[in-house]
Amino acid sequence: MAVHSSVNGDKKHWWFTQRKVVDKYIKDAKNLMASAELNDVTSALHLLDAALSISPRFETALELKARSLLFLRRFKEVADMLQDHIPSLKLTANEEEASPSSSEGSSSSSSSSRDGVKLLSSASLPGRDSSLKCFSVSELTKKVLAGVCKKCDQEGQWRYVVLGQACCYVGLMEDAMVLLQTGKRLASAEFRRRSICWSDDSFIPFSGSSSSTSLTDGDNVTHLLAHIKLLLRRRAAAIAAFNAGLFSESIRHFSKIVDGRRPAPQGFLAECYMHRAAAFKSAGRIAEAIADCNKTLALEPSWIQALETRAALLETVRCFPDSLHDLEHLKLLYNTILRDRKLPGPAWKRHNVKYREIPGKLCVLTTKTQKLKEKIANGETGNVDYYGLIGVRRGCTRSELDRAHLLLCLRYKPDRASSFIDRCEFTDQNDVDSVRDRAKMSSLLLYRLIQKGYSAVKAIIAEEAEKRKKNAASEERKPVEKSGLITLAGFTELKTVKKPKITENTQPKPVNSNAYQGVFCRDLAAVGNLLTRAGFNHPIPVKLEALTC
C-alpha cells in the first residue's frame, strides 16, 4: 500500500509541476502580447508553442496562439491550425464522401447524402452554365448554427471571430461572413445571459481595460463584416449580369471590386480577375482578357482555370507558341497533382476542378497539345490575328488603330504592371516581390505582342492606302482628248463648250466657239502657258462658272 501511495503521489506531483510550467508560459505570453509589438508577440508565440507541446489541447494556449498569429498577419497558419472548423471544408468533405458511395447504391450512401449539404446549390440545376456561380450561404449558415449549441461550450466562442478574420484574408469570404456573424450572435447572447444576473455594482469591473479591448475588437469585426458583405454583393451582381449576357455590366461590377479604395484579399481578388477575364473574353476583348489572366496567375501561379483561359485566348488569335507554352505548364501541373494525389495548395483552398476529373482533363490536354505542335510544324505561326488581339475591325482606319493601341498601352504598359498590388491584401508579405516579378514578366510579353500587332496592322493599312493612291493615279492618267478636255499640269481643267442640240421646238443660240469653260486659275504661269499654246496674243473669251480667290 505504501508503494501504491507513493506512486500516486509522484503522478500528482508531476501533473502539478507541468501545469505550473504551462501557466507560467501563458502568463508570460499574455504580458508580452499586451505590449502589441511585433518582437514581443513573436516571443510570446514561442512560449505558447512550448506550452502546447506540454498540453496540446489547452484551450487558453490555443486561443492566445491563434490571436498572436492573427496579429502577426500569418493568416494561412491560422487557417491551417483551425481548418477543422471551416464550414465549407466540412461540407466539401461530406460531398466527396457521399459521391462515390451514391454510385454504389448502398444504404449508407443514402444516409450520407441526406446529411451532406451542397456548398453551391445552383450547380445541380440542369441547363445552367457552371463557369460563374454565386456562393449560397443560407445552407452554410444553417449548418454552422446547428452545431453552435453543441460545441460552443467545448470549443469556445473565440474560434468564430479569429477564424472568421483569417478566412477573410485568405479569400474564403463566405466562410468569413458566416463565422463572424455567428461569433457576434454568440457574443451578444452571452452578454445578455450574464447581464441578467448582474446587479448595478457588478458593472464596475466591466469598465476596465478588458472592456475597451473587447469593444475595439467588436468594432473591427463590424467594419470587416460590412466590407465582406459589400464585396459579396458586388460579386453577386457581376455574376448575375454575366449570366444574363450583360458583359459590359459584369465588367463594370468586377472593376469596382478590383479598383476599389479599400484593398481586397489576395485570393478573392484573383478570383474576381478570373471572372472579369471570362467577361472580357465573352465581349471579344482579347487583350484585356489576357491581361486579367496574367494578374490572376501572378497572384495564384497554380490557378488551373486561368491557365486554361489564357491558352484558349492565345489559340483564338492563332498565337500558337504561347498557347502551347501554357498548355505544357498546365500538363505539368496535372502530372504533379496526380503524383501528389491532391490538388495544389492547402486543404482549405478552393479549386474549380476536382481531383477525380484530372485524368480525363489530362487526356484531352495531351490531344490538344499534339494538334498545336502539328500546326507549328506546318508553319502556321506567322498568321496571327492581330486585329482580334488589339480589338479593331478589319479595314479600320489609322485613327481607329491609334486610339485602340493608345488605350492598351496606357493600361498595360510594363511600368504600370504592378499597380494592382497596392490594392491587394496579401496573406504573406513575403510574397509581394515574387508577385511583382511575375506580373512584370507577363505584362512585358503582352506589351511586346501588342506592339508587334500594332506594327503589322499599321503596315497593312499603309499598304492598302498606297494601293488606293496608285489606283486613283492610274485612273487620272487615262487619255482625255476624246472628251475635249485640256489638262493644265495638275492645276485645273478647261473643256470646250459643246454645241447644244437643235430640235424642231428649239432655236439655236449663238455660241462663241472660241470661248472656254472652266475654273478660274490664279497661277499666272499657267495662264501664260495657255496663251502660248493658243498661239495668239489677243484676249481669249472665257466663260467663268466659278471664281475662287
Side-chain angles (χ1 to χ4, degrees):
M1 296 296 294
V3 175
H4 181 70
S5 61
S6 64
V7 172
N8 290 339
D10 292 340
K11 285 186 178 181
K12 187 175 181 181
H13 176 72
W14 173 85
W15 186 85
F16 273 110
T17 303
Q18 297 296 332
R19 182 60 183 267
K20 287 182 179 179
V21 173
V22 172
D23 291 341
K24 184 178 182 301
Y25 285 157
I26 291 176
K27 182 179 179 180
D28 295 340
K30 286 182 178 180
N31 294 331
L32 291 173
M33 292 176 63
S35 63
E37 295 183 0
L38 293 178
N39 296 330
D40 293 341
V41 175
T42 304
S43 302
L45 185 60
H46 295 316
L47 292 175
L48 293 171
D49 288 335
L52 288 173
S53 63
I54 299 173
S55 179
R57 296 185 179 182
F58 194 54
E59 191 71 15
T60 306
L62 290 173
E63 179 182 358
L64 292 176
K65 181 180 179 180
R67 292 187 181 276
S68 61
L69 290 173
L70 193 66
F71 179 82
L72 296 173
R73 303 185 65 82
R74 293 158 66 172
F75 307 113
K76 290 183 178 180
E77 297 184 21
V78 178
D80 293 336
M81 175 182 172
L82 302 175
Q83 67 178 358
D84 294 336
H85 306 278
I86 298 177
S88 62
L89 186 61
K90 292 181 180 180
L91 299 180
T92 306
N94 292 335
E95 287 181 7
E96 291 178 354
E97 292 177 359
S99 57
S101 59
S102 61
S103 61
E104 296 176 359
S106 60
S107 60
S108 61
S109 65
S110 59
S111 60
S112 61
S113 61
R114 284 193 298 267
D115 296 335
V117 181
K118 292 289 184 180
L119 185 61
L120 297 176
S121 58
S122 60
S124 60
L125 297 177
R128 293 290 301 275
D129 185 13
S130 60
S131 59
L132 300 180
K133 294 296 180 184
C134 293
F135 193 97
S136 178
V137 296
S138 58
E139 297 176 351
L140 185 63
T141 306
K142 293 178 182 178
K143 189 72 175 179
V144 173
L145 293 178
V148 165
C149 299
K150 299 179 181 178
K151 302 181 180 180
C152 178
D153 297 334
Q154 300 176 0
E155 298 177 352
Q157 300 176 7
W158 61 271
R159 297 177 185 271
Y160 295 99
V161 178
V162 175
L163 183 58
Q165 296 180 55
C167 287
C168 172
Y169 289 107
V170 298
L172 304 177
M173 306 298 286
E174 296 84 1
D175 294 314
M177 185 179 69
V178 171
L179 290 170
L180 291 176
Q181 286 179 340
T182 307
K184 287 186 64 178
R185 291 172 185 173
L186 291 176
S188 300
E190 182 67 17
F191 178 77
R192 287 194 298 269
R193 186 181 65 82
R194 292 183 180 181
S195 62
I196 293 175
C197 304
W198 287 345
S199 62
D200 295 338
D201 297 336
S202 62
F203 284 94
I204 297 176
F206 185 73
S207 61
S209 60
S210 61
S211 63
S212 61
T213 304
S214 61
L215 290 175
T216 304
D217 294 340
D219 293 339
N220 294 335
V221 169
T222 302
H223 293 313
L224 183 61
L225 188 58
H227 181 56
I228 292 172
K229 290 181 179 179
L230 176 63
L231 293 178
L232 290 178
R233 282 198 301 267
R234 286 179 173 175
R235 190 186 67 174
I239 293 176
F242 180 87
N243 293 333
L246 305 175
F247 304 120
S248 300
E249 190 72 12
S250 177
I251 293 170
R252 186 176 66 86
H253 284 296
F254 280 124
S255 299
K256 285 184 178 181
I257 298 176
V258 300
D259 299 332
R261 296 181 180 179
R262 183 171 177 177
Q266 178 181 356
F268 183 76
L269 201 63
E271 182 182 357
C272 290
Y273 275 124
M274 188 64 254
H275 290 337
R276 194 174 73 167
F280 276 132
K281 178 183 177 182
S282 300
R285 300 165 65 175
I286 306 298
E288 289 89 341
I290 294 176
D292 279 353
C293 289
N294 292 339
K295 293 176 182 178
T296 303
L297 292 172
L299 294 171
E300 298 289 343
S302 60
W303 198 287
I304 297 176
Q305 186 181 2
L307 285 171
E308 292 177 348
T309 305
R310 191 172 69 175
L313 289 169
L314 292 171
E315 186 179 0
T316 301
V317 296
R318 295 193 293 272
C319 191
F320 298 131
D322 295 335
S323 177
L324 181 62
H325 181 269
D326 284 343
L327 292 180
E328 292 290 347
H329 186 190
L330 191 60
K331 184 178 180 181
L332 182 62
L333 185 60
Y334 284 161
N335 290 327
T336 304
I337 292 172
L338 293 177
R339 183 195 62 193
D340 298 338
R341 295 184 179 181
K342 69 180 188 67
L343 295 172
W348 43 263
K349 186 177 180 181
R350 291 176 186 164
H351 299 276
N352 63 318
V353 296
K354 297 181 180 180
Y355 177 77
R356 60 177 178 268
E357 299 175 357
I358 298 298
K361 287 181 173 290
L362 185 59
C363 295
V364 175
L365 184 62
T366 304
T367 305
K368 188 182 296 185
T369 304
Q370 292 177 354
K371 291 182 179 179
L372 283 182
K373 288 182 179 179
E374 292 177 358
K375 291 182 179 180
I376 294 174
N378 295 332
E380 300 182 14
T381 57
N383 191 16
V384 181
D385 184 13
Y386 291 117
Y387 289 95
L389 176 66
I390 300 177
V392 294
R393 59 180 178 83
R394 293 186 178 273
C396 64
T397 61
R398 178 66 181 273
S399 60
E400 295 176 352
L401 175 64
D402 291 340
R403 181 179 180 277
H405 175 257
L406 179 61
L407 291 176
L408 292 177
C409 289
L410 290 177
R411 291 177 184 174
Y412 307 118
K413 61 182 181 180
D415 297 338
R416 300 184 58 186
S418 59
S419 60
F420 71 98
I421 295 179
D422 300 333
R423 297 183 294 273
C424 180
E425 192 79 28
F426 286 93
T427 55
D428 189 0
Q429 294 298 325
N430 297 326
D431 297 338
V432 177
D433 294 334
S434 59
V435 170
R436 183 178 287 108
D437 293 339
R438 289 193 294 266
K440 286 185 178 180
M441 181 61 65
S442 58
S443 178
L444 182 61
L445 295 177
L446 177 61
Y447 184 76
R448 289 178 179 175
L449 187 61
I450 291 173
Q451 294 298 326
K452 186 177 179 181
Y454 173 71
S455 302
V457 176
K458 184 173 67 173
I460 294 174
I461 293 176
E463 184 179 355
E464 291 178 354
E466 188 68 23
K467 287 182 180 179
R468 287 194 298 267
K469 191 179 295 184
K470 288 182 179 179
N471 294 334
S474 63
E475 291 179 359
E476 291 178 357
R477 291 174 186 171
K478 292 181 180 180
V480 294
E481 288 81 2
K482 294 183 179 180
S483 61
L485 293 179
I486 301 177
T487 305
L488 294 180
F491 291 102
T492 183
E493 285 186 355
L494 301 178
K495 62 181 180 179
T496 59
V497 180
K498 296 182 179 180
K499 296 181 180 180
K501 296 181 180 180
I502 300 175
T503 60
E504 296 179 355
N505 298 330
T506 60
Q507 296 180 357
K509 297 181 180 179
V511 179
N512 190 358
S513 61
N514 296 324
Y516 288 88
Q517 178 180 351
V519 180
F520 179 76
C521 182
R522 293 181 299 172
D523 196 342
L524 298 179
V527 176
N529 189 14
L530 178 61
L531 295 174
T532 304
R533 289 185 181 181
F536 47 84
N537 296 326
H538 55 83
I540 303 176
V542 177
K543 182 180 180 181
L544 300 179
E545 291 185 354
L547 179 63
T548 59
C549 18

